Amino acid sequence: MNDAFGRPLRNLRLSVTDRCNLRCEYCMPEDDYVWLPREDVLHFEETSALVDVFLSLGVDKIRLTGGEPLLRRDVPSLVRMIAAKPGLNDLALTTNGVLLAAQVDALKAAGLGRITVSLDTLHPDRFIKLTRFDQLEAVHAGIAAAHRAFGHLKIDTVVIRGVNDDELVPLIEYGRSVNGEIRFIEYMDVGGASRWSPDRVVSRKDMLDALARHYGVIAPIDEPGSSAPAERFALEDGTTFGIIASTTAPFCSTCDRSRLTADGMWYLCLYATRGLDLRAPLRAGASSAELKALIAGGWRARDDRGAEDRLALGDQRAFVPVQDLLRKDPHLEMHTRGG
Ligand code: SAM
């Protein structure tokens, strides 16, 4: 099933909570937040029922996210419910890693396929400054546990000028030591990133220049037909890494992602200010066929190109003017959308 620009519905990011145990300055820099009402948060059975509908419409990749997904009680049981469903080719989880060491075996046993851990710095003092919590050791333990249980992982790093842009090489070397492919993400002006400014963005070009100064030749890896947000590159020794250039080179034209928040709002673009409420019809007893028609209609009408629209704004802020709105509607926040 394709949207108005011919993009298929394939990738679903499933946020299981809007709560987080870190306060990363590029995502949750404020002192307090408006949280989703607990009674609105979908039960796993409700999430599972919606997943069935999405799978019947062509979704074949699901990523569990948050907030911090591992803060939600018993995520492995949700993984178990979803992993066995027919039609699903890829079940992944994105986590900050703090609670991962204790849960990784249960996640693996439940059928989780892949893990991505977010890690922006290897310096303990910087980690505390960036996240407001002294948890770097716990993240390292989580990454080591993921390496042991899964054999490999991905590590996502948001690169911010003057904060961690001197760590590109150390992070690649660290990734090598844990069989983790690093993916450098350009700092995005998304809901919640209230400290974003254009001069803090390190572009893909700047990253590649810095890495080439250290490693020499860097070869792009050709992946025809891929809708993955990361472009991948290889160093001469075969080490690979990715760059997600969502800010300077948006991938809207191939974007097949949509996002379901923990309370059942469905967003068709990371930048969308309006979503489709699936919780209300679900709780009102809508049949699978009715939910299918609702979701299909939403996707067919999809014409968002949020990151491109954002790029066209240039140095103007996309989300600052709606800071008051962010306070009133937590759905606009990155930590509610799931990144
Ligand atoms: N807590 C989990 C984690 O840390 O991975 C999942 C949720 S987090 C919102 C998902 C991803 O969004 C993380 O990799 C985070 O770095 C990324 N992210 C958040 N704010 C961002 C921003 N302003 N620019 C780019 N990436 C951002």
Side-chain angles (χ1 to χ4, degrees), residues 13 20 26-27 65-69 94-96 118 120 156 158 185-188 190 193 334-335 338-339:
R13 297 183 69 105
C20 195
Y26 53 79
C27 187
T65 177
E68 171 46 40
T94 294
T95 170
N96 60 31
S118 300
D120 305 312
D156 278 3
V158 180
I185 306 175
E186 288 181 353
Y187 188 9
M188 294 166 67
V190 284
M334 184 77 153
H335 66 264

Side-chain angles (χ1 to χ4, degrees), residues 171-236:
L171 279 161
I172 286 193
E173 296 301 317
Y174 171 75
R176 236 202 278 260
S177 73
V178 293
N179 204 18
E181 184 173 280
I182 303 282
R183 304 192 315 169
F184 297 115
I185 306 175
E186 288 181 353
Y187 188 9
M188 294 166 67
D189 178 22
V190 284
S194 52
R195 310 226 170 124
W196 186 91
S197 65
D199 51 299
R200 302 188 80 199
V201 176
V202 181
S203 68
R204 170 181 57 187
K205 181 180 179 312
D206 289 351
M207 293 187 216
L208 285 173
D209 287 350
L211 288 166
R213 280 195 293 277
H214 182 85
Y215 289 113
V217 178
I218 293 173
I221 300 174
D222 201 16
E223 292 174 302
S226 165
S227 70
E231 291 162 81
R232 295 174 67 237
F233 300 88
L235 306 179
E236 266 179 329

Side-chain angles (χ1 to χ4, degrees), residues 7 13 27 65-66 185-192 229 244 246-247 251-252 255 257-261 266-274 299 302 304-308 310 318-319 326 331-339:
R7 300 168 293 189
R13 297 183 69 105
C27 187
T65 177
I185 306 175
E186 288 181 353
Y187 188 9
M188 294 166 67
D189 178 22
V190 284
I244 302 180
S246 344
T247 299
F251 53 93
C252 300
C255 179
R257 284 168 187 70
S258 65
R259 296 169 162 81
L260 188 67
T261 60
W266 186 42
Y267 286 90
L268 308 188
C269 176
L270 189 52
Y271 289 85
T273 47
R274 286 220 312 267
W299 189 261
R302 176 186 189 244
D304 304 86
R305 302 184 81 102
E308 288 176 2
R310 169 64 197 91
F319 274 95
L326 277 176
H331 293 100
L332 299 173
E333 298 272 5
M334 184 77 153
H335 66 264
T336 308
R337 295 278 168 98

